[in-house]
Amino acid sequence: MLSEFDLEMPSDLQASLSSLPYATPLGGGTNLLVDLRARREKSKRLVWLGNIQAFREIKINAQQVSIGGGTTLSDILHSPAMAEAAPSLFNAARVFGGQMVRNRATVAGNICSGSPAADTVPPLLSLDATICLTNAEGCRSVPLDQFYTGFKTNLRRQDELITGLSWLVPNSNTANLFYKLARRKGDAISVVGVAVTVTREGDRCTHARIALGSVGPTVFRAKDAEAILAGGLLSEKLINDAAQKAMEQSKPIDDLRASANYRRHSVRVLTRRLITQAWHSLPEKTAHT
Amino acid sequence: MSLEKAIPVKINGVPHELLARANETLLDCLRQHGQFEVKNGCEKGDCGACAVQIEGEAVDSCLTLTWTVEGRSITTLEGLNDTNKPHPLIAAFMEQGAVQCGYCTPGIIVAAEEMLRETLNPTDDDIALALSGNLCRCTGYTKIFAAIRQAATVLREGGGND
Ligand SMILES: Cc1cc2nc3c(=O)[nH]c(=O)nc-3n(C[C@H](O)[C@H](O)[C@H](O)COP(=O)(O)OP(=O)(O)OC[C@H]3O[C@@H](n4cnc5c(N)ncnc54)[C@H](O)[C@@H]3O)c2cc1C
Ligand code: FES
Ligand code: FES
């Protein structure tokens, strides 16, 4: 039995925003209901977002992707253009929870859960995604990279909702990959999650992102490791150096899923593997269009 | 304490009202209503025994608040059967021996049926993806996969309910 609470189910965004200062948003409920049952969450008033019109909308054009605050992991998997517009996110959706969870779990809820193991966050960081935080007054854009302030703490104010996310579609000289290391392929919490973005111009890497999950209090970008790659002539040595640096930037803990040492080791191996894979998937000659 | 409301829904095509307070889950309400094919395994989204479809989409009823399904169509295992003949998935599960204790079966069939509406040529990867939220502690999944492949063949050849 869940503890007692009130539940509002507004069908428009404004109404949900006006309840928010006093209530907790309920997206797919795949975190919140589990936490309420375990008495980790004690809210007495919930606002369900599932009735809000057009909240699950996905828009993709040649340049940009934007998704609504109610977009589910299944929506990502069922969006035909998503595999190209956000390869890492699409791959994260394939290894996320189980089917019933994916049908309900939202990307916004995943971000707000604040878990260092949240699987959509490394991909979204690797794509430089921006989130739209909206309250009754209006919307502010915050780069996801600046959103987290510590373990399960973030910049969202009590009266704000994530109403959308957006990022630029990677160009044809850019590869974007994600790998989730877990004990099973499905329905498992990440031991380590790594997302990388690499842009290639001839022999040079002109842009790099490396985002790491489950190896620190929040998901984060290994910026020192990125800096080793960006602008450099890419070689096996440079990739090894970047992978080593990513490992050094990780601050994992021992828990029931894996030891901190194993996680550190995995960060190095996976970063090296993904950057190498990304690099070789890109054309040597830059297609100038 | 929140009030009890009568929530109008369709269960397997038939209109009903479920009496529920804000904090009651669809799992509890469906079982109180006599839908014992909806199983309670873990109450936290891990096992898939409680899976039902809402407007054709499989969800864990233990993670669904009853108020949020107001006006929606709910399909349980029972709703997949035609009055005269079993759904090809159910027939295939029986023929392949894909049921041992049977506790996981209703949830698995509900999840698999959603996938078969998307593709009648599922690869083993497609089946694994569809069943990734369903735990079976008896069968080892081999016969479950075989049953789903068989049902897909039957449906492809037009042998389903129409
Ligand atoms: C069996 C199972 C398997 C899982 N597997 C995975 C997995 O593989 N990978 C993974 O990363 N996670 C996994 N999860 C965790 C969970 O499913 C995800 O974190 C999910 O994305 C949460 O989204 P939700 O919509 O269900 O959020 P909810 O539970 O509704 O909410 C989560 C938090 O976000 C807030 N919130 C929700 N929507 C908004 C919004 N629009 N604006 C502001 N705040 C909001 C809520 O108030 C709450 O604090 C799993 C959970 C279960 C039960
Ligand atoms: S009882 Fe709902 S998933 Fe286990
Ligand atoms: S048949 Fe017993 S759990 Fe699946």
Side-chain angles (χ1 to χ4, degrees), chain A residues 115-182:
Chain A
S115 163
D119 284 319
T120 67
V121 180
L124 290 166
L125 281 177
S126 76
L127 291 160
D128 287 325
T130 298
I131 58 182
C132 181
L133 288 166
T134 305
N135 67 9
E137 264 89 75
C139 157
R140 59 178 175 134
S141 288
V142 176
L144 183 58
D145 187 34
Q146 291 166 20
F147 183 62
Y148 296 110
T149 50
F151 179 64
K152 301 212 169 177
T153 57
N154 60 52
L155 292 181
R156 184 179 84 85
R157 299 184 197 118
Q158 172 77 35
D159 67 345
E160 289 176 320
L161 279 182
I162 294 187
T163 48
L165 282 118
S166 61
W167 62 89
L168 298 177
V169 175
N171 65 23
S172 59
N173 303 322
T174 300
N176 173 239
L177 304 175
F178 173 70
Y179 189 84
K180 168 174 173 171
L181 178 68

Side-chain angles (χ1 to χ4, degrees), chain A residues 24-34 49 55 69 73 95-98 101 104-110 112-113 117-120 156 160-162 180 187-188, chain B residues 44-46 63:
Chain A
T24 304
L26 173 64
T30 59
N31 278 127
L32 202 53
L33 291 186
V34 175
L49 309 176
F55 208 46
L73 272 297
V95 292
F96 192 106
V101 167
R104 277 298 151 101
T106 62
V107 177
N110 195 230
C112 287
S113 72
D119 284 319
T120 67
R156 184 179 84 85
E160 289 176 320
L161 279 182
I162 294 187
K180 168 174 173 171
D187 223 351
Chain B
K44 53 192 178 114
D46 284 330
L63 297 183

Side-chain angles (χ1 to χ4, degrees), chain B residues 95-158:
Chain B
E95 276 166 39
Q96 294 286 340
V99 179
Q100 284 185 28
C101 80
Y103 208 82
C104 66
T105 315
I108 287 188
I109 291 182
V110 159
E113 199 275 338
E114 183 187 13
M115 176 203 58
L116 290 181
R117 267 184 283 118
E118 280 163 32
T119 171
L120 286 179
N121 286 297
T123 62
D124 281 0
D125 269 358
D126 293 331
I127 299 176
L129 189 67
L131 298 194
S132 49
N134 297 88
L135 299 183
C136 175
R137 295 298 82 173
C138 301
T139 66
Y141 300 98
T142 306
K143 291 183 173 180
I144 293 176
F145 273 57
I148 293 173
R149 281 187 222 108
Q150 177 182 321
T153 310
V154 170
L155 285 163
R156 259 198 323 267
E157 290 162 2

Side-chain angles (χ1 to χ4, degrees), chain A residues 3 8 23 33 37 39 42 70-71 73 88 91 147 163 169 178 181 219 226 246 255 266 285:
Chain A
S3 57
E8 293 167 39
L33 291 186
R37 191 181 295 281
R39 306 286 196 262
K42 301 196 165 60
T71 303
L73 272 297
S88 60
N91 283 329
F147 183 62
T163 48
V169 175
F178 173 70
L181 178 68
V219 182
E226 293 172 359
D255 68 13
S266 304
K285 290 240 166 24

